[in-house]
Amino acid sequence: MSDYRLVSIKEIQRKSLLKNFDCGIEKLNEFLSRYAIRNDELGIGRTFVALNNSNHILGYFTLATAQVAYQEIPDECKGKLPKYPIPALRIARLAVNKELQGNGIGKWLLSQVFIKVVQVSDITGLYLIIVDAKETSKSFYEYYGFQRLVDEELSYFVVIDTVKKAILG
Ligand SMILES: CC(C)(COP(=O)(O)OP(=O)(O)OC[C@H]1O[C@@H](n2cnc3c(N)ncnc32)[C@H](O)[C@@H]1OP(=O)(O)O)[C@@H](O)C(=O)NCCC(=O)NCCS
């Protein structure tokens, strides 16, 4: 996967690249072209963009922090958690260019999310990664071990310790 590189949205000079991105879901396209830079400037969501050697956008993801109610976590994943809101990192958006879907870019983006999460979790408390999936992406997250939060149709999570063990052994 060395053909891909990940950059912060701040580093994208040609804004037209953001406008031309199409993952097949209009809201995710619109977010990248209209709101991602602003949210980054505000510090409320960090967006990272995957580029190929020709600087075309292959995909992107946006991260933010979140809290999950104790009751939303399935019993088998609660461990010894206190009954307080639990700190989490939210994959606020993740999308791949629709022409390139099914070629491993989503998997690569998710691996980059995991690497960043492991780094962040060394300097602040984080227990879960969460994501609000779409009908079309449920199976993608399930494939990578995400489970549904209690009583939520499309909200998925994975415990960060599980990710760490998978990455770091
Ligand atoms: C969902 C999405 C991010 C997946 O990215 P992708 O590049 O198409 O997926 P990949 O090629 O990396 O697939 C990785 C693996 O997931 C599996 N998978 C399971 N369900 C899948 C699904 N619904 N879509 C894509 N892959 C899926 C693939 O079979 C593949 O397994 P393999 O490596 O063993 O063959 C992408 O299709 C997309 O951007 N969809 C539109 C936007 C969207 O729904 N975003 C999610 C909202 S947060």
Side-chain angles (χ1 to χ4, degrees), residues 98-115:
K98 75 173 182 195
E99 314 265 288
L100 301 170
Q101 289 174 9
N103 288 293
I105 297 169
K107 175 183 178 179
W108 186 80
L109 287 174
L110 199 55
S111 73
Q112 299 303 303
V113 170
F114 288 165
I115 290 168

Side-chain angles (χ1 to χ4, degrees), residues 8-26:
S8 160
I9 195 158
K10 294 188 241 318
E11 294 172 50
I12 303 288
Q13 306 288 344
R14 279 175 51 209
K15 304 300 175 227
S16 59
L17 287 177
L18 303 176
K19 284 207 169 63
N20 293 336
F21 177 78
D22 184 7
C23 69
I25 297 185
E26 198 36 50

Side-chain angles (χ1 to χ4, degrees), residues 21 23-25 28 58 91-98 100-109 131-144:
F21 177 78
C23 69
I25 297 185
L28 293 174
L58 309 174
I91 305 175
R93 313 255 173 343
L94 188 150
V96 172
N97 179 329
K98 75 173 182 195
L100 301 170
Q101 289 174 9
N103 288 293
I105 297 169
K107 175 183 178 179
W108 186 80
L109 287 174
V131 62
D132 290 326
K134 311 271 178 231
E135 260 320 311
T136 46
S137 61
K138 270 165 64 170
S139 55
F140 172 75
Y141 291 107
E142 285 166 0
Y143 187 76
Y144 289 109

